[in-house]
């Protein structure tokens, strides 16, 4: 284990990392809850070098897979990447290497893991360990995220039920229970530590209306870069990006409605070392990025949960130096998230409709297809697939390619669907409680770090001494919210050139 760690450039493992690796090598299921930047990747990379069969990493993050694949190859660690972007000869070569077996890290996505060629080969070769990254996604994210993520437990059973290592940076007790259930983990060992890092200075500032944007610009102009500004919607990203560019701040942007090539280009430019720039993005940016020198993370609007907030704020200061985590809060922010959650969460009436449609197919002794069932239930295919993943978790159905096998009698389908619907009503209640917790955090007069530790079930510990409450700096003077004048652009060719560079976000500052 020590030799494998040295190959990764790790002189000494944290106690928590060593604990996880030992449990994994003993064949135990392990749930890992460690802060961003703590080195969770070593918990599956080290076993992949010493276990006799391949270790499979399942991640929703293509950028993380590409980045880790390149770095491990540079260190001569046996690994292959197998996802939707690996095609033709490259895919054939990856499958051939998996067929050889032995110590190997197979890096893939939930969707690729479910493909026939990959699953058949992995079942034949055998898997020593399945590591599921960003495991909280099976609990907190709506069905619009990745339906294949909801079916991971079923896929792992099909692959011979290897030991499971679930990894996340934040998880309350309820989320941990969801992860264990969804992945069918067997009496897992839980290795967790406080989500708060001692070098992070948290601050919350109440803002209303136009005050928010003025405060944001002042923070971005004063705080050391590089930094990340998180927004709740793509429209908000575009607006903030335009304002910062107008003020001459070197800025990039990232959101789901941009073309994939442009998103990758913006991320690559931001990730370059020693560039004092700002990234304005939705929560789609940042999962799995490895940039240690981010000096601040600013949330332009309160997030939907403290779990999300700590995940995103934790991307600051991974080099151990002081970094700022600023939250601009308005009680009205809740309305935005309630609307977004209403679209992403499975609705009870959707399950009712699917249950009726399934019962009709079974009653007619016909085997439904995905397309046919979606039409019968008057739902989109993506939503239908997500709902089937939920039914598959409780073994009511199984999905093989486009074929849906129902495992209960027609009369039992609708009652079972209604029982599940009540579970999703509970999820909506949990969503509301998470939003309540964000409001409580924003209005609390207790140390921010102590509040977060207690929320995540940790011991409160000593006050951090860095947050706005500890420093006695809650709030800002009225002048902080006054209108700002954008700088005038110099005339002439040289000035126009600088203006173009600022707008493109390519100039270093």
């Amino acid at each position: 284990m020590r030799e494998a760690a040295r190959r990764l450039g790790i002189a000494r493992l944290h106690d928590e990392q060593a604990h996880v690796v030992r449990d994994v090598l003993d064949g135990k299921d392990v749930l890992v809850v460690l802060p961003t930047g703590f080195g969770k990747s070593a918990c599956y990379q080290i076993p992949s070098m010493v276990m006799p069969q391949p270790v499979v990493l399942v991640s929703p993050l293509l950028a993380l897979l590409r980045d880790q694949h390149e770095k491990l190859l540079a260190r001569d660690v046996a690994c292959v990447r197998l996802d939707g972007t690996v095609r033709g000869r490259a895919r054939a070569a990856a499958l051939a290497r998996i067929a050889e077996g032995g110590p190997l890290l197979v890096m893939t996505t939930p969707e690729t893991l479910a493909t026939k060629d990959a699953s058949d080969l992995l079942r034949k070769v055998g898997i020593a360990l399945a590591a599921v990254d960003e495991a909280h996604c099976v609990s907190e994210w709506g069905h619009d995220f990745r339906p294949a993520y909801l079916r991971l437990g079923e896929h792992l059973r099909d692959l011979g039920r290897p030991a499971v290592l679930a990894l996340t940076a934040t998880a309350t007790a309820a989320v941990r229970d969801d992860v264990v259930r969804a992945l069918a983990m067997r009496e897992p060992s839980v290795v967790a530590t406080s989500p708060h890092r001692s070098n992070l200075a948290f601050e919350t500032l109440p803002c209303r209306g136009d005050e928010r944007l003025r405060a944001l610009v002042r923070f971005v102009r004063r705080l050391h870069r590089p930094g990340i500004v998180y927004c709740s919607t793509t429209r908000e990203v575009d607006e903030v990006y335009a304002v910062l560019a107008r003020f001459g701040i070197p800025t990039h942007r990232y959101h789901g409605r941009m073309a994939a090539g442009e998103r990758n280009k913006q991320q690559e430019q931001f990730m370059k070392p020693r560039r004092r720039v700002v990234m304005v993005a939705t929560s789609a940016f940042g999962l799995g990025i490895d940039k240690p020198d981010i000096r601040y993370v600013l949330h332009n609007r309160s997030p939907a949960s403290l779990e999300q907030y700590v995940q995103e704020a934790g991307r600051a200061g991974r080099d151990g130096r002081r970094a700022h985590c600023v939250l601009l809060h308005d009680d009205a922010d809740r309305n935005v998230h309630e609307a977004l959650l209403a679209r992403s969460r499975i609705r009870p009436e959707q399950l009712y409709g699917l249950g009726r449609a399934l019962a009709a197919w079974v009653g007619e002794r016909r085997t439904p297809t995905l397309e046919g069932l979606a039409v019968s239930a008057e739902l989109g295919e993506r939503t239908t697939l997500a709902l089937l993943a939920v039914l598959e978790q409780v073994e009511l159905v199984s999905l093989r390619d486009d074929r849906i096998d129902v495992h209960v009698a027609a009369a039992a389908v609708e009652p079972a669907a209604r029982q599940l619907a009540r579970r999703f009503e509970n999820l909506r209640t949990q969503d509301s409680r998470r939003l309540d917790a964000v409001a409580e955090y924003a209005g609390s007069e207790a140390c921010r770090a102590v509040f977060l530790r207690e929320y995540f079930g940790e011991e409160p510990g000593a006050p951090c001494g860095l947050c706005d409450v500890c420093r006695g700096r809650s709030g800002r003077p009225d002048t902080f919210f006054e209108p700002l004048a954008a700088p005038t652009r110099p005339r002439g060719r040289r000035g126009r050139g600088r203006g173009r560079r600022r707008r493109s976000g390519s100039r270093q500052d």
Side-chain angles (χ1 to χ4, degrees):
M1 185 171 74
R2 287 191 295 270
E3 174 60 27
R6 281 195 290 268
R7 287 180 62 186
L8 296 173
I10 301 172
R12 183 179 180 277
L13 291 171
H14 295 297
D15 290 343
E16 293 85 354
Q17 290 173 308
H19 185 175
V20 172
V21 174
R22 290 192 188 98
D23 281 353
V24 163
L25 294 179
D26 285 341
K28 297 178 182 177
D29 286 358
V30 186
L31 174 60
V32 178
V33 187
L34 297 176
T36 301
F38 204 89
K40 291 187 288 295
S41 58
C43 296
Y44 53 80
Q45 291 173 353
I46 290 173
S48 78
M49 288 184 261
V50 298
M51 299 187 93
Q53 294 173 304
V55 169
V56 174
L57 166 67
V58 184
S59 172
L61 311 170
L62 288 175
L64 176 141
L65 296 181
R66 285 194 295 264
D67 181 61
Q68 284 199 25
H69 185 238
E70 292 171 1
K71 290 179 178 178
L72 291 174
L73 289 179
R75 294 185 177 275
D76 199 28
V77 175
C79 64
V80 297
R81 181 165 65 90
L82 194 65
D83 58 55
T85 67
V86 180
R87 304 184 182 95
R89 293 182 179 177
R91 185 179 181 88
L95 292 171
R97 176 59 188 89
I98 294 171
E100 295 176 10
L104 176 70
L105 180 61
V106 180
M107 311 174 75
T108 190
T109 61
E111 291 81 3
T112 301
L113 185 68
T115 59
K116 191 175 188 309
D117 59 349
S119 59
D120 286 350
L121 180 57
L122 289 170
R123 192 182 304 111
K124 178 180 178 181
V125 172
I127 301 172
L129 171 70
V132 180
D133 195 24
E134 306 297 343
H136 63 281
C137 295
V138 304
S139 170
E140 293 176 24
W141 293 55
H143 68 264
D144 279 343
F145 174 55
R146 302 280 277 272
Y149 228 85
L150 301 178
R151 302 185 63 216
L152 274 176
E154 178 68 21
H155 293 323
L156 294 179
R157 282 193 291 270
D158 289 345
L159 294 173
R161 192 51 190 82
V164 176
L165 171 64
L167 306 109
T168 183
T170 57
T172 60
V175 172
R176 295 180 193 186
D177 290 344
D178 280 349
V179 170
V180 170
R181 182 179 60 252
L183 299 180
M185 300 178 76
R186 297 162 296 193
E187 299 182 356
S189 166
V190 178
V191 179
T193 190
S194 170
H196 175 257
R197 298 205 315 275
S198 60
N199 63 315
L200 300 183
F202 286 87
E203 177 175 353
T204 298
L205 186 64
C207 297
R208 292 184 179 180
D210 294 339
E211 291 178 348
R212 188 196 304 272
L213 196 54
R214 296 168 187 169
L216 182 146
V217 173
R218 283 193 166 91
F219 272 119
V220 171
R221 294 176 77 178
R222 296 179 183 186
L223 294 173
H224 290 295
R225 299 190 292 269
I228 301 176
V229 175
Y230 278 113
C231 302
S232 296
T233 65
T234 58
R235 179 179 178 181
E236 192 179 315
V237 168
D238 292 338
E239 290 175 350
V240 171
Y241 170 79
V243 169
L244 295 185
R246 185 183 174 199
F247 276 85
I249 297 167
T251 309
H252 300 290
R253 62 176 167 170
Y254 188 106
H255 61 66
R257 291 190 178 179
M258 296 168 59
E262 180 62 19
R263 285 200 309 269
N264 292 337
K265 178 182 177 183
Q266 295 283 309
Q267 176 168 321
E268 288 170 3
Q269 290 177 339
F270 176 76
M271 293 294 290
K272 289 180 180 177
R274 296 182 296 279
R275 295 201 67 221
R276 298 182 61 234
V277 295
V278 179
M279 173 62 82
V280 183
T282 61
S283 58
F285 174 80
L287 286 170
I289 69 166
D290 185 15
K291 186 173 176 63
D293 62 341
I294 294 172
R295 299 272 59 85
Y296 71 84
V297 170
L298 188 152
H299 281 75
N300 187 51
R301 190 182 301 273
S302 292
S305 69
L306 288 179
E307 290 88 340
Q308 178 186 344
Y309 181 59
V310 171
Q311 282 263 358
E312 292 169 353
R315 287 159 199 157
R318 293 179 62 171
D319 56 5
R321 294 171 53 202
R322 179 169 173 171
H324 295 268
C325 304
V326 180
L327 173 63
L328 305 183
H329 174 76
D330 184 349
D331 289 339
D333 294 344
R334 183 187 187 110
N335 300 333
V336 174
H337 293 298
E338 285 179 339
L340 293 173
L341 286 166
R343 291 202 298 267
S344 67
R345 282 294 191 204
I346 290 174
R347 299 194 299 274
E349 60 268 22
Q350 292 174 325
L351 266 174
Y352 298 157
L354 185 74
R356 286 193 297 270
L358 265 178
W361 281 81
V362 175
E364 296 173 6
R365 297 183 179 180
R366 293 192 298 157
T367 300
T369 63
L370 176 60
E371 181 180 2
L373 183 61
V375 172
S376 300
E378 298 182 355
L379 298 168
E381 286 192 25
R382 183 181 177 88
T383 301
T384 301
L385 185 60
L387 294 169
L388 287 170
V390 174
L391 298 181
E392 195 171 40
Q393 284 183 351
V394 294
E395 300 182 351
L396 289 176
V397 303
S398 57
L399 185 60
R400 298 290 183 274
D401 298 323
D402 193 39
R403 174 189 172 94
I404 302 163
D405 295 323
V406 183
H407 302 313
V408 295
V413 174
E414 283 194 71
R418 289 184 176 275
Q419 185 177 4
L420 279 172
R422 287 193 287 273
R423 171 186 164 193
F424 285 94
E425 286 285 8
N426 292 335
L427 284 178
R428 288 174 176 268
T429 301
Q430 291 175 24
D431 290 336
S432 180
R433 289 174 179 168
R434 288 189 179 109
L435 289 168
D436 290 342
V438 172
E440 290 171 13
Y441 169 82
S444 175
E445 296 181 0
C447 166
R448 306 289 180 192
V450 168
F451 188 102
L452 291 173
R453 290 191 199 110
E454 291 182 327
Y455 176 79
F456 286 103
E458 306 290 338
E459 292 296 323
C464 68
L466 286 182
C467 72
D468 55 337
V469 176
C470 288
R471 290 183 290 119
R473 197 178 180 182
S474 297
R476 294 277 173 157
D478 292 342
T479 54
F480 198 77
F481 304 101
E482 291 179 353
L484 299 94
T488 55
R489 292 174 181 158
R491 296 182 179 179
R493 179 177 299 176
R494 183 178 178 186
R496 287 195 301 270
R498 285 205 300 266
R500 283 194 298 271
R501 285 193 294 272
R502 281 197 297 269
R503 286 193 296 275
S504 67
S506 62
R507 182 175 68 86
Q508 294 189 26
D509 184 72

